[in-house]
Amino acid sequence: MGLSDMTRPLTDAGRAGLAALLAAPRDAVIALDFDGTLAPIVPDPDRARADPGAAPALRALAPRVGAVAVVTGRPAALAVEYGGLAGIDGVVVLGHYGAERWENGRLTAPPPHPGVAAVRAELAERLAALGAPEGTWVEDKGRSVAVHTRRTAEPTAAFELLRLPMERLAAEHGLVVEPGRLVLELRPPGVDKGAALTGLLRERGARSVLYAGDDLGDVPAFAAVEGLRPQGVAGLLVCSGAVGDAPVRELADRADLVVPGPAGVVELLVALGEELSRPAAGR
Ligand SMILES: O=P(O)(O)OC[C@H]1O[C@H](O[C@H]2O[C@H](CO)[C@@H](O)[C@H](O)[C@H]2O)[C@H](O)[C@@H](O)[C@@H]1O
């Protein structure tokens, strides 16, 4: 297939990022968000699965680059399961915004934050008292709890109704709210995808990075890539423009390339794999 017009960056910085990745792939990290980037958005988070082309594309890329990483708000083990990543050598999964790390079948994680248990105990009563509309659904993620409004009759209105009260509840217990696509996640502070990505890039001595994301939780990773460019790490920022929902404007505006959802991300990954499998000078 090769790099088509759809998979070519539109900015000078993005073209420089892609050129650096192709010239020295072993010095490159390819890092991807999960929901909305590798997996299409669906109403029930338990049913989210990576695009069928994602795992084969990552399997082809992993031996050719410095690292392939999935950087997600999901528990790392769930992203491994829903992504079909278990048997792919060289994939690192940074879960819970970087609090967890899965690599070679091993999960490392800090002890749970006590505020999560406190919020868990109070949440149902608080939501009822706030008049949370029917369809409001709580995802218990172990290290955090996420309040989803996608399945209510008016998801955006429900999200706005709950946003401030959830911020207050989180603060009462030393947590923060991570807003996402029709979801308010109450989670421990001190981690974000920017710090998680930067740590991995430093660990691998990366000289280039491709990062693809679709949601507000990916903004710190975009900012990290932008901040590393002047330090000599070339970066290609890809926005997975959600199919169905409007794309997150902040990401689309900062991206070097916008692709149509997970199918577009997979098309890009496949094209990169093919490009890297061709014999080329210097590789
Ligand atoms: O960092 P990510 O991998 O993008 O995870 C962010 C959140 O994704 C999930 O919620 C989103 O996807 C769901 C399934 O498609 C969708 O129903 C929901 O509306 C989206 O917000 C996940 O459920 C959350 O726990 C993650 O934090």
Side-chain angles (χ1 to χ4, degrees):
M1 177 168 53
L3 286 167
S4 64
D5 283 348
M6 201 201 84
T7 54
R8 260 192 220 114
L10 300 174
T11 63
D12 287 344
R15 282 188 282 274
L18 178 61
L21 188 159
L22 293 175
R26 305 254 173 229
D27 296 333
V29 167
I30 294 181
L32 310 142
D33 164 59
F34 186 72
D35 289 280
T37 300
L38 288 178
I41 293 291
V42 291
D44 180 353
D46 291 343
R47 291 182 175 267
R49 295 293 180 275
D51 179 286
L58 297 180
R59 191 184 296 278
L61 275 172
R64 301 184 189 282
V65 297
V68 167
V70 174
V71 189
T72 175
R74 294 274 195 167
L78 215 56
V80 170
E81 182 187 340
Y82 292 178
L85 306 174
I88 308 179
D89 287 342
V91 172
V92 180
V93 180
L94 304 175
H96 277 288
Y97 302 93
E100 290 187 347
R101 178 173 178 140
W102 178 96
E103 194 171 7
N104 297 325
R106 271 197 64 216
L107 182 70
T108 44
H113 188 295
V116 177
V119 163
R120 185 181 289 123
E122 287 179 33
L123 193 53
E125 206 174 308
R126 289 283 186 115
L127 289 173
L130 288 162
E134 194 183 329
T136 303
W137 180 72
V138 176
E139 176 188 14
D140 193 336
K141 300 170 64 169
R143 292 177 186 283
S144 65
V145 285
V147 179
H148 288 263
T149 64
R150 183 174 293 278
R151 290 190 261 163
T152 63
E154 293 182 67
T156 305
F159 178 93
E160 292 306 335
L161 170 78
L162 298 176
R163 187 171 184 153
L164 267 178
M166 290 301 106
E167 282 176 1
R168 279 194 214 108
L169 175 61
E172 282 168 29
H173 297 291
L175 304 180
V176 293
V177 164
E178 179 80 45
R181 286 183 174 274
L182 302 174
V183 63
L184 295 159
E185 181 170 348
L186 290 79
R187 71 167 180 85
V191 284
D192 67 40
K193 291 190 183 186
L197 180 64
T198 303
L200 183 69
L201 295 176
R202 294 225 164 100
E203 173 194 304
R204 300 297 166 109
R207 307 302 300 158
S208 67
V209 54
L210 178 160
Y211 186 83
D214 78 308
D215 203 350
L216 290 173
D218 298 306
V219 170
F222 268 45
V225 172
E226 289 162 348
L228 286 167
R229 280 173 172 156
Q231 298 174 39
V233 181
L236 169 56
L237 288 170
V238 180
C239 171
S240 173
V243 178
D245 292 354
V248 171
R249 209 56 265 163
E250 189 170 351
L251 285 188
D253 288 347
R254 287 164 82 161
D256 304 302
L257 175 64
V258 180
V259 298
V265 173
V266 167
E267 187 176 327
L268 173 63
L269 297 175
V270 169
L272 284 175
E274 288 177 357
E275 203 69 24
L276 292 176
S277 68
R278 287 198 228 168
R283 304 206 278 272

